[in-house]
Amino acid sequence: MFQPIIDRLYRMKIGTRTAISFFAVVMVVLMFTTASVLLLQYGKNIDKRIESSFNPVISAIKDYHILIGETGHLSADLSLQPSEIKKIRLEKILERGYTRQKLRVIGLCQEPGLADIKKRIIGVDKQFESVARMERDLIKLMDTAGAYQDANKLEKAKEIRIKLEEKISKQLYSLSETSLLAISVFNKLNTQKFASYRTLTYLLLIMIVVIILVSILSIYITNVTIIRPIKELSAILDEVGEGKIISFQSDINREDEIGTMIASAQKVVSGFKTKEQVANAIGKGEYNINVPLLSRKDRLGKALIEMRDNLLRSKIKEAENLKSLEAYTLKLEKKNKELDQFAYITSHDLKSPLRGINNLTEWIEEDMGDQLSADSKGYFKMMRGRVHRLEALINSILKFSRAGRSIDDQETIKSKDVVLEVLGQLNPKPECSVLFDETLPEVIGNKRDLKEVFLNFISNAIIHNNNPHPVVNITYKSNDNFYDFCIADNGPGIPKEFQQKIFTIFQTLERRDDVETVGAGLAIVKKIVEEYGGLTWVDSDEELGSKFYFSWPKYPIPPEHQHPV
Amino acid sequence: MGEKIVNILLVEDDEVDVMNIKRAFKKNNVTNPLFVCNNGLEALDFLHGKRDPSIVDLPKIILLDLNMPKMGGIEFLRELRKDESLKNLSVFVMTTSNEDKDKVDAYNLNVAGYILKPLSMERFIEAVSALNNYWKLCEFPDK
């Protein structure tokens, strides 16, 4: 029912709507005030009328009543005894007083409500004509003093007097009735006045109710047309404020300020939406996307453009970096190949002249036979020893350069099996005891690499052990990603100052002529273990022997999680 | 046992090594005629009869070094196995190379043995003696 009105209200500006409702209230108040004033005026008029016409009418009727009564009394007195004063008074009333009084009453009865009274007065007046005639007759009859001695005349006067009394009492009664009638008319008017006051009360009540209704309607309309859309809009703007960008199609289709406001909000949100799409596109790497600017003042848009350009620049730079990195990698690969080539050359081209020297000395020794002195034979032997050492050094270089190369070829290895294999290969002397933890774990790696590590540690622990009963103990400890293996011996121990040095290639603590070792074993071990992301370290006490440690990964681990070296 | 003495071709660039072999042969009483080529190309020419037309019985056994100038041992083997007339020759590699790659390449080209040249003379002589016994037992096709 209200829908068409509300629709029409939606199309109005809020200012217009407010003006209309204000105007409506003012109009209602004005209307009711006017009505009240009119009603009050009406009541007052009635009062005035009562005061100006009805009161005089009643008093006039009373006077009239008295006047008629007086003529009666005068006539009665005159019929009994002569009295000049009374006679003159009666004549005066009959001549002028009566008519004047009668005309006054009739004159006062011009009000439409008093028509009945006027009629009655006229009726009374008609009857009074005969009364007046009789009274005049009486005056004529008793005109002299002698008349009162005349029994005849007295008789006649008595007759007239009786008749007069009868008629006058009738007239007086009629006048009393008229007077009562006038009072009833007055009462009626009073009733009308009170009715008008009652109406006024009702009107006031109605006005209050109407004003309340208008107010409620106005509040309802305000709620429907202003507060609700504003709430809806602020809910949406709240979500936008929280960062949730939603495109909304408001069902509030309006042409007023609210409509404008919603349109503005839609503009804001759609602006955000566009920005979001553009930012997403930029995030996905579409750097040639066009960023639409909402206006020249669109700072977000400008920021997006800058972001896009910066990203594009850094991408180009990244590509350049990648290129140079690739070039670098290529170079590195080339260098590695060169190193391989170097190792190959070392292993063959350096070794064959050595063999030549070795052979030639042997032949010389053979050919010379007994001609050679014992000293010379000793020199030859020493020479061959140096040649063999040189070969061993070359082999170590080769081994060192190749150490850890096979890291790409990994499998699950039982470290206990590796230790057993190493022991089988070393075949320690009977006085030497090698103990190991039966629960040595499974690890990941290249078996040959792990074997190389164990071989070097265990053989070092046996070879360099000067104890009459060498003991080697192999244990392990589990860490997060690594097992820490420990190879402990009861040998001479390593002084603190050499503990770092021993892991460097060709570093030995004894003269090579005394213990024929190359001094590459620990360097090779270190290189292999670090290749797998592990560490090697030593803990040695010169009296208790040495504990060599190395950590080995439990499973293949990416380089960024490896031990820091 | 009617012993057939087969010719042996040694492909080796190091003079001392050549002498070494000759000495080892002498020590082991190996009487097989020994021809020497200094690299793979020379050896191929020799086997095709281009070098010494007077030789009728071309060698059936080749002792091959791997590191040589002009044409190395592996390359030579490849050429040899491609050649219809030469692909059935027995080749023993005698080298200083302990590389897996060389060993795998050599065996892929059907070598009869891969012997590392030891540093000392005595062990080499032992190796040659073993070889001699081996190829004395072997039968070779006549042509």
Side-chain angles (χ1 to χ4, degrees):
Chain A
M1 185 176 87
F2 291 115
Q3 206 51 49
I5 302 170
I6 287 171
D7 284 349
R8 173 163 273 178
L9 281 170
Y10 280 155
R11 280 196 289 276
M12 285 179 194
K13 299 275 177 198
I14 293 174
T16 320
R17 214 179 298 141
T18 316
I20 284 173
S21 59
F22 179 72
F23 195 68
V25 171
V26 168
M27 282 305 287
V28 167
V29 171
L30 261 178
M31 248 163 61
F32 284 98
T33 314
T34 313
S36 317
V37 167
L38 286 174
L39 276 172
L40 277 172
Q41 199 62 43
Y42 177 64
K44 231 182 193 172
N45 275 348
I46 290 172
D47 266 352
K48 233 186 215 160
R49 269 163 62 193
I50 290 167
E51 217 172 290
S52 65
S53 61
F54 290 94
N55 283 350
V57 164
I58 285 163
S59 72
I61 289 172
K62 209 175 167 187
D63 289 349
Y64 191 43
H65 185 273
I66 291 165
L67 202 68
I68 288 171
E70 198 182 350
T71 59
H73 293 308
L74 288 169
S75 306
D77 287 351
L78 281 175
S79 69
L80 293 174
Q81 55 194 352
S83 167
E84 203 54 34
I85 298 163
K86 283 179 184 172
K87 189 183 162 186
I88 290 164
R89 168 85 185 139
L90 186 61
E91 277 173 343
K92 215 176 163 181
I93 289 169
L94 288 177
E95 263 173 38
R96 286 199 310 272
Y98 170 75
T99 315
R100 203 168 58 223
Q101 191 61 32
K102 180 195 82 187
L103 286 174
R104 194 176 152 233
V105 173
I106 290 172
L108 284 167
C109 290
Q110 292 312 316
E111 285 278 336
L114 298 172
D116 265 3
I117 293 164
K118 192 178 165 185
K119 223 190 256 165
R120 273 173 187 260
I121 298 289
I122 289 168
V124 169
D125 176 55
K126 263 183 189 160
Q127 283 174 5
F128 191 74
E129 271 174 28
S130 61
V131 173
R133 204 164 47 239
M134 282 165 79
E135 281 172 343
R136 274 193 196 100
D137 285 348
L138 190 68
I139 293 168
K140 224 180 266 172
L141 189 68
M142 314 301 276
D143 57 344
T144 54
Y148 288 96
Q149 271 80 44
D150 189 345
N152 216 4
K153 279 191 177 174
L154 278 171
E155 191 63 31
K156 242 189 173 168
K158 193 186 170 184
E159 253 174 59
I160 289 168
R161 192 190 74 208
I162 291 162
K163 268 185 187 165
L164 268 176
E165 272 178 354
E166 196 187 329
K167 279 207 171 178
I168 282 173
S169 72
K170 253 188 192 165
Q171 277 197 320
L172 287 178
Y173 178 74
S174 175
L175 270 176
S176 295
E177 258 186 0
T178 308
S179 193
L180 278 172
L181 190 70
I183 286 166
S184 88
V185 168
F186 162 79
N187 278 343
K188 226 186 236 163
L189 274 173
N190 255 349
T191 313
Q192 267 179 30
K193 187 179 84 184
F194 287 131
S196 83
Y197 288 160
R198 212 163 36 240
T199 312
L200 184 63
T201 316
Y202 291 149
L203 262 180
L204 280 172
L205 278 175
I206 289 168
M207 184 176 80
I208 289 165
V209 169
V210 166
I211 285 177
I212 287 172
L213 279 178
V214 167
S215 305
I216 289 171
L217 191 68
S218 147
I219 288 169
Y220 171 75
I221 288 169
T222 308
N223 190 33
V224 166
T225 63
I226 300 175
I227 294 170
R228 201 182 292 168
I230 285 180
K231 270 187 184 163
E232 202 175 298
L233 195 62
S234 39
I236 290 164
L237 288 179
D238 269 352
E239 288 198 56
V240 173
E242 281 162 16
K244 188 178 164 193
I245 297 170
I246 40 165
S247 64
F248 71 98
Q249 199 57 48
S250 179
D251 47 354
I252 307 168
N253 181 21
R254 312 212 339 212
E255 288 160 21
D256 60 3
E257 289 91 334
I258 296 280
T260 318
M261 197 163 87
I262 287 166
S264 302
Q266 266 169 339
K267 221 159 116 189
V268 169
V269 171
S270 79
F272 272 132
K273 188 92 189 159
T274 318
K275 290 286 176 338
E276 187 201 11
Q277 283 163 354
V278 169
N280 275 337
I282 292 174
K284 279 175 195 153
E286 292 170 34
Y287 299 128
N288 49 1
I289 194 168
N290 182 37
V291 181
L293 283 182
L294 297 176
S295 74
R296 226 181 279 168
K297 290 180 253 170
D298 186 356
R299 297 181 70 169
L300 185 60
K302 282 179 184 168
L304 273 176
I305 288 176
E306 199 170 327
M307 186 176 97
R308 180 197 65 190
D309 293 347
N310 280 338
L311 278 172
L312 185 60
R313 268 197 292 278
S314 55
K315 200 198 171 189
I316 291 168
K317 207 169 172 189
E318 195 187 305
E320 279 169 7
N321 285 346
L322 205 70
K323 230 181 205 170
S324 66
L325 196 72
E326 270 169 14
Y328 183 70
T329 311
L330 236 94
K331 222 169 159 183
L332 205 69
E333 274 169 14
K334 210 177 137 200
K335 285 266 178 263
N336 263 337
K337 266 183 193 155
E338 278 173 16
L339 201 69
D340 268 356
Q341 193 61 31
F342 167 75
Y344 196 78
I345 289 163
T346 311
S347 73
H348 304 109
D349 294 8
L350 296 188
K351 266 153 91 184
S352 61
L354 272 185
R355 211 178 45 257
I357 294 167
N358 197 61
N359 286 344
L360 288 169
T361 55
E362 280 179 14
W363 297 341
I364 291 169
E365 248 188 312
E366 254 180 48
D367 292 355
M368 302 279 282
D370 298 333
Q371 284 173 284
L372 269 180
S373 68
D375 277 355
S376 297
K377 275 188 179 172
Y379 298 151
F380 273 121
K381 200 182 168 198
M382 276 169 78
M383 187 172 157
R384 278 199 293 279
R386 297 301 188 274
V387 167
H388 278 276
R389 193 187 296 163
L390 193 52
E391 201 208 12
L393 287 171
I394 289 168
N395 280 338
S396 296
I397 291 175
L398 193 63
K399 217 171 181 181
F400 182 74
S401 76
R402 294 279 151 96
R405 263 318 152 72
S406 40
I407 187 164
D408 296 333
D409 184 16
Q410 296 200 18
E411 55 181 334
T412 308
I413 325 161
K414 287 179 180 152
S415 59
K416 189 183 157 192
D417 292 356
V418 173
V419 169
L420 284 171
E421 254 179 64
V422 167
L423 291 178
Q425 192 176 323
L426 287 173
N427 197 18
K429 288 175 189 151
E431 67 266 26
C432 174
S433 48
V434 179
L435 314 167
F436 57 86
D437 192 332
E438 281 292 329
T439 63
L440 282 176
E442 275 187 359
V443 294
I444 287 288
N446 183 287
K447 194 172 177 182
R448 276 202 303 197
D449 284 343
L450 187 63
K451 193 177 164 188
E452 185 72 32
V453 172
F454 272 117
L455 181 69
N456 277 294
F457 276 130
I458 297 172
S459 67
N460 277 350
I462 296 171
I463 292 166
H464 299 287
N465 204 323
N466 53 3
N467 199 296
H469 299 284
V471 179
V472 180
N473 194 9
I474 302 160
T475 53
Y476 78 99
K477 206 172 78 192
S478 180
N479 275 336
D480 283 352
N481 296 323
F482 288 82
Y483 288 112
D484 290 349
F485 290 93
C486 173
I487 295 95
D489 62 55
N490 57 350
I494 298 155
K496 275 264 181 297
E497 61 265 36
F498 297 122
Q499 286 183 4
Q500 275 308 306
K501 237 179 170 184
I502 51 169
F503 287 101
T504 321
I505 191 163
F506 300 146
Q507 288 289 335
T508 55
L509 299 180
E510 287 155 284
R511 246 161 49 103
R512 288 211 169 81
D513 294 335
D514 299 339
V515 178
E516 189 62 55
T517 55
V518 174
L522 288 179
I524 289 168
V525 162
K526 186 170 185 246
K527 200 178 170 208
I528 291 174
V529 169
E530 283 177 2
E531 203 71 39
Y532 281 86
L535 284 177
T536 51
W537 66 99
V538 66
D539 180 11
S540 181
D541 189 303
E542 280 179 65
E543 281 162 24
L544 296 172
S546 308
K547 281 176 181 166
F548 282 89
Y549 294 93
F550 72 94
S551 50
W552 194 269
K554 292 179 179 178
Y555 29 76
I557 45 173
E560 60 266 28
H561 294 302
Q562 291 176 357
H563 269 212
V565 177
Chain B
M1 204 188 243
E3 270 185 26
K4 257 190 189 163
I5 299 179
V6 291
N7 293 342
I8 295 171
L9 173 63
L10 173 65
V11 189
E12 171 64 80
D13 60 325
D14 191 323
E15 212 181 330
V16 178
D17 277 335
V18 174
M19 285 163 70
N20 200 6
I21 297 272
K22 283 182 178 166
R23 239 181 141 89
F25 271 33
K26 206 188 276 175
K27 286 242 162 141
N28 288 298
N29 298 320
V30 178
T31 50
N32 303 50
L34 183 73
F35 301 91
V36 179
C37 290
N38 286 332
N39 62 54
L41 279 177
E42 265 183 37
L44 280 176
D45 280 355
F46 180 84
L47 289 172
H48 283 125
K50 288 176 191 166
R51 200 155 267 270
D52 194 349
S54 61
I55 297 163
V56 187
D57 274 341
L58 286 172
K60 290 193 167 60
I61 295 167
I62 298 171
L63 298 178
L64 180 67
D65 187 22
L66 288 186
N67 285 347
M68 289 177 296
K70 286 185 186 164
M71 185 187 270
I74 297 292
E75 209 182 329
F76 168 76
L77 267 173
R78 249 180 231 129
E79 293 298 320
L80 198 71
R81 295 307 180 213
K82 265 194 246 167
D83 195 314
E84 276 300 318
S85 60
L86 304 174
K87 68 176 180 186
N88 56 359
L89 290 178
S90 290
V91 178
F92 294 85
V93 173
M94 300 187 91
T95 179
T96 46
S97 170
N98 197 16
E99 293 296 302
D100 270 347
K101 191 180 176 301
D102 282 343
K103 288 179 201 168
V104 170
D105 284 350
Y107 278 108
N108 280 343
L109 290 163
N110 290 322
V111 294
Y114 192 102
I115 300 146
L116 272 181
K117 288 179 193 164
L119 205 54
S120 81
M121 181 72 194
E122 282 164 51
R123 288 189 54 206
F124 191 69
I125 290 167
E126 283 169 26
V128 171
S129 155
L131 270 182
N132 188 34
N133 291 333
Y134 172 68
W135 66 57
K136 264 185 183 162
L137 287 170
C138 282
E139 285 294 324
F140 294 100
D142 288 340
K143 271 286 163 192

